[in-house]
Amino acid sequence: MMNSVKKEKGKRLNKKSIDNLFVLSVLIIPLISFAIFYVYVNLNSFVLAFQSVDIYGNYEWVGLGNIKEFLQGLQGDSRVGLSIKNSLIYWSTSFFISMPLYLLFSYYVYKKNFGHSMFFIIVMLPNIVASFVYSLVYKMFVDAALPSFMATQGFANFPSLIYDDRTNFGNNIFYSIWLSFGTSTLVYTNAMRGINDEIIESAQLDGANNFYEFFFVVLPLIWPTISTFVITGVTSIFTASGSLILFYNMGAPTKLWGFSYYITYTVKTAMGSDFSSYPAVAASGLCVTLVTLPVVFFVKWLCNKLDRTEA
Amino acid sequence: MKFILFLVIACLVLFLTCFVIKLLSYMKVRVAGKKKYSLGAVTSDKIASSLFWAIVGTVAIVYCVSLIVPLAWSLMTAFKTPVDYILNSFGFPKVKQYGLAPENFINVLQRFQLRQGTRIYGLTDMLINSLVFAIVPSLVGVFWMTLVAYVMARYKFWGNNALYNLGIVIMLIPIVGNMASSMIIKKAMGLYDNMYVSIFIPPATAFSGMHFLILYGAMKSIPAAYSEAAEIDGASRYAIMFKIIVPMVLPTCATLFILDFIANWNAYESFLIWYPSTPNIAYGMYTFQSVASQGSGAATVPEILAGFIMCMIPSAILYLSSQKLIQSKFTVGGLKG
């Protein structure tokens, strides 16, 4: 009897070991990729922030020198400081203007108001057509066709919205709002459609109008979806690239730069051979990450706190 | 000024239409089993609600029109002759005076090329690069994410929860400024400007991201009975994975593959930064229009727009043919943990 119990135990152990070997065989390659292209890249970036590199590729430890330079640059009118300020402005317009509009338009589609089907299809056009093509078409339309059309309407000196100094910043913000509705509207509308109809009917029977229904029934019930977008939005404040590369390639005016553009510009213009400007990029990225990280976790905590769906 | 006046009148008409339609919907009542319109059903609350929805509806429809106008303009301009475009850059093609120029679509294909140093890339080169970059990384990414989602969802092993939570944390951590480090490492490994090797590398975070969470959820929803029955029948773990469970989530995998394909087909930044020597059509068109717009004589604006129209076609066909599949998978929950 003892031998049969031991044999059974051996079988169980064998199965567990085989399971573990199987799991390891599947995970080994993705984990190696993670170790190299995520862990090592970010560790290397962290170390690079405290080094300098000469044009011959020799590394030297400079301690907090790069970080001091970054902090001093924030006080002046440096590219880094300006790009951080612009990133915050771009994010703010996305959060305070775009997000309410996404929710409003999604609710409009959800309530099946006039033209809702057409709206739902057309708003996905930038996703269907390829955003880079859309951006280039917009650029040519605004740069060439629009000034000539406005001239026929009596506005002879209508500027190029993209290249004119007076209008390019506003144009950038307008464009980022204008083209951003597709996926968000789709996701929010799907989330609203997932609400149990009985809840809505019950609210209507209690005398809730559209205003009350939207703010006190629908929004709380789709709060997990909203909070996901809020959190990922905060995460990408400084990594979102926007349309600058499409409109200007590497020639965007400095006053329009976001932080992601600053990094791309620095890495690209070094052409992958001269790394002397890279430590400054790594240091500024490290500082920005350290500031953004607690903000993201605070926002996540706040979103979880405001979540009434599990109450 | 006439056009602006026309716009204002059109918006007013649209607003009134939306308002009336909404108000009529509030006025509908059932009397003796029949639908009738009753003025008595209209309260100040409903009038205010109708006004509000009319404003939202007008803004929404004006927004839709604004999305269509540049595309419509590019489509009709693609058929203009160069002279027609110079004299009439905004309006409809003046067919009687200048005729149409469908040859723009052929001309742009013949002239479409990218000069990088001494090398000239033609349409065929860029098309091959586009197809390879759209298909291979999408397949590789979905393949590895599916396998990782499978073992994490269906097996209990040491570190499973930690790995899952790490994936969530990675989604939340805003890593900024590591492009420089990435460039140094990829150059050292010989992966910089080496698209045909880089595309086979598994994604760095196969256990993180929205796509992984969708696959994880799909794997979790499959009852354990399927695996157990197969195990009893003597199937190996690999057989259970590849022949029983993964085929059940193929629609989800197909959706994610299509989304990745569209994104990779339209990717130009990757080629701008990482693979400048193997341009795809997106990067080629982006650079081509930039050069041509500066008056280099490489192509006219109608020809460039004809090129854009043709660039839109593959992703548009793919998206529209799989629209229902994509839209059904697009639900987003919360980031708990």
Side-chain angles (χ1 to χ4, degrees):
Chain A
M1 194 177 163
M2 286 293 290
N3 283 340
S4 63
V5 167
K6 273 186 190 172
K7 269 189 187 170
E8 272 189 33
K9 241 192 172 175
K11 267 191 188 169
R12 276 204 300 274
L13 279 170
N14 256 344
K15 184 182 183 303
K16 190 87 179 130
S17 302
I18 292 169
D19 279 349
N20 287 337
L21 276 172
F22 167 70
V23 166
L24 185 64
S25 70
V26 171
L27 290 181
I28 187 81
I29 292 174
L31 285 176
I32 290 172
S33 182
F34 171 69
I36 297 172
F37 296 106
Y38 188 86
V39 176
Y40 182 57
V41 164
N42 287 309
L43 275 176
N44 188 58
S45 183
F46 179 82
V47 170
L48 191 61
F50 301 98
Q51 294 177 319
S52 69
V53 186
D54 62 24
I55 54 168
Y56 304 107
N58 300 317
Y59 291 83
E60 195 187 321
W61 189 261
V62 294
L64 296 173
N66 293 324
I67 293 175
K68 277 183 193 165
E69 213 177 290
F70 165 73
L71 292 171
Q72 281 164 2
L74 285 180
Q75 291 162 13
D77 209 12
S78 70
R79 281 176 174 176
V80 179
L82 202 54
S83 65
I84 287 173
K85 187 188 92 176
N86 285 342
S87 286
L88 290 169
I89 293 173
Y90 295 145
W91 173 81
S92 303
T93 54
S94 164
F95 184 74
F96 292 108
I97 299 175
S98 299
M99 180 166 267
L101 288 175
Y102 300 154
L103 290 167
L104 206 54
F105 285 167
S106 299
Y107 189 57
Y108 183 88
V109 173
Y110 166 65
K111 298 304 280 185
K112 296 186 180 168
N113 285 299
F114 175 69
H116 73 277
S117 305
M118 174 203 70
F119 177 79
F120 197 59
I121 294 168
I122 293 175
V123 86
M124 294 302 292
L125 263 178
N127 294 61
I128 296 168
V129 156
S131 58
F132 89 95
V133 171
Y134 224 104
S135 304
L136 295 175
V137 165
Y138 171 87
K139 181 183 168 190
M140 297 188 89
F141 178 79
V142 154
D143 199 33
L146 194 58
S148 119
F149 169 72
M150 294 305 276
T152 64
Q153 301 299 308
F155 299 96
N157 295 316
F158 194 82
S160 162
L161 298 178
I162 290 176
Y163 294 107
D164 193 289
D165 225 26
R166 297 164 293 175
T167 56
N168 55 12
F169 194 78
N171 171 71
N172 216 27
I173 290 177
F174 164 77
Y175 183 80
S176 63
I177 295 171
W178 179 67
L179 211 66
S180 63
F181 281 83
T183 309
S184 305
T185 308
L186 171 67
V187 173
Y188 285 133
T189 308
N190 277 350
M192 289 178 189
R193 285 174 179 164
I195 296 173
N196 195 330
D197 287 338
E198 287 173 6
I199 299 175
I200 303 295
E201 282 166 13
S202 163
Q204 286 169 352
L205 282 169
D206 287 342
N209 56 22
N210 281 329
F211 178 88
Y212 188 93
E213 185 185 299
F214 178 65
F215 282 102
F216 297 103
V217 179
V218 171
L219 287 189
L221 285 173
I222 66 166
W223 181 253
T225 305
I226 296 172
S227 64
T228 302
F229 276 104
V230 169
I231 294 165
T232 52
V234 172
T235 308
S236 62
I237 289 177
F238 297 107
T239 54
S241 56
S243 54
L244 288 180
I245 293 176
L246 280 165
F247 288 162
Y248 307 100
N249 200 341
M250 291 294 121
T254 317
K255 73 167 208 178
L256 301 180
W257 286 20
F259 192 69
S260 173
Y261 187 86
Y262 156 72
I263 291 172
T264 307
Y265 177 88
T266 310
V267 170
K268 174 69 182 164
T269 49
M271 296 300 283
S273 55
D274 171 20
F275 300 144
S276 52
S277 53
Y278 285 8
V281 168
S284 53
L286 177 64
C287 294
V288 167
T289 302
L290 288 175
V291 169
T292 319
L293 190 59
V295 173
V296 169
F297 281 99
F298 171 73
V299 168
K300 184 176 178 302
W301 171 82
L302 193 63
C303 287
N304 286 343
K305 199 102 173 106
L306 294 171
D307 187 356
R308 302 282 172 89
T309 52
E310 287 181 359
Chain B
M1 290 304 282
K2 278 185 195 171
F3 184 73
I4 293 172
L5 197 62
F6 166 76
L7 267 182
V8 169
I9 294 170
C11 286
L12 273 170
V13 167
L14 201 53
F15 171 80
L16 284 169
T17 310
C18 293
F19 176 72
V20 166
I21 289 174
K22 193 67 189 176
L23 201 61
L24 283 174
S25 74
Y26 285 136
M27 285 166 62
K28 264 190 212 166
V29 290
R30 273 195 182 273
V31 176
K34 286 183 185 172
K35 277 188 192 170
K36 281 189 177 175
Y37 292 101
S38 165
L39 267 176
V42 176
T43 60
S44 56
D45 213 23
K46 286 182 177 163
I47 292 173
S49 179
S50 302
L51 276 171
F52 174 72
W53 284 124
I55 293 169
V56 174
T58 306
V59 171
I61 292 169
V62 166
Y63 171 72
C64 288
V65 170
S66 77
L67 278 181
I68 295 171
V69 162
L71 284 183
W73 171 79
S74 67
L75 185 60
M76 66 186 186
T77 307
F79 286 95
K80 283 183 181 171
T81 59
V83 174
D84 191 4
Y85 174 74
I86 289 167
L87 298 173
N88 169 37
S89 56
F90 189 80
F92 290 99
K94 290 188 174 162
V95 183
K96 282 183 185 166
Q97 282 170 271
Y98 308 108
L100 284 177
E103 64 273 13
N104 288 335
F105 290 84
I106 299 167
N107 292 346
V108 74
L109 289 176
Q110 288 167 349
R111 295 187 198 189
F112 181 42
Q113 61 183 22
L114 184 66
R115 201 179 284 270
Q116 300 267 52
T118 53
R119 175 110 194 247
I120 296 173
Y121 299 90
L123 176 65
T124 315
D125 298 320
M126 288 188 261
L127 184 62
I128 292 170
N129 291 339
S130 282
L131 282 169
V132 169
F133 190 75
I135 294 172
V136 176
S138 309
L139 268 177
V140 169
V142 171
F143 173 76
W144 284 110
M145 268 192 245
T146 305
L147 297 195
V148 171
Y150 171 75
V151 296
M152 286 181 66
R154 304 186 72 81
Y155 282 83
K156 286 181 185 163
F157 56 92
W158 180 84
N160 190 347
N161 285 338
L163 197 60
Y164 182 83
N165 290 328
L166 178 63
I168 301 291
V169 167
I170 285 171
M171 288 170 70
L172 296 173
I173 295 177
I175 302 282
V176 186
N178 64 356
M179 191 190 283
S181 169
S182 197
M183 177 65 80
I184 293 171
I185 289 167
K186 285 187 176 174
K187 252 199 139 305
M189 292 177 75
L191 294 175
Y192 170 71
D193 209 7
N194 193 348
M195 187 192 83
Y196 282 90
V197 171
S198 301
I199 52 177
F200 291 100
I201 294 173
T205 50
F207 54 91
S208 182
M210 289 297 179
H211 288 189
F212 167 78
L213 290 176
I214 291 170
L215 282 164
Y216 183 86
M219 291 291 185
K220 269 279 193 200
S221 67
I222 299 173
Y226 286 101
S227 319
E228 286 163 8
E231 210 175 315
I232 290 168
D233 288 342
S236 70
R237 281 151 184 80
Y238 293 101
I240 295 170
M241 180 169 70
F242 285 116
K243 291 184 180 175
I244 294 168
I245 305 299
V246 168
M248 290 182 174
V249 298
L250 271 181
T252 307
C253 295
T255 307
L256 298 177
F257 171 77
I258 289 167
L259 289 171
D260 284 348
F261 180 95
I262 293 172
N264 289 334
W265 178 267
N266 297 320
Y268 66 95
E269 262 188 69
S270 299
F271 292 85
L272 177 71
I273 298 164
W274 302 109
Y275 315 120
S277 299
T278 46
N280 68 346
I281 288 179
Y283 178 60
M285 183 53 71
Y286 165 71
T287 313
F288 178 71
Q289 68 82 32
S290 175
V291 167
S293 299
Q294 286 161 16
S296 65
T300 62
V301 169
E303 284 169 352
I304 295 171
L305 289 170
F308 288 165
I309 301 290
M310 289 191 290
C311 272
M312 293 181 204
I313 294 170
S315 52
I317 291 173
L318 196 55
Y319 186 90
L320 290 170
S321 59
S322 48
Q323 190 185 359
K324 279 188 183 163
L325 192 62
I326 290 169
Q327 287 180 4
S328 68
K329 299 290 176 200
F330 251 84
T331 52
V332 173
L335 282 169
K336 291 283 182 190

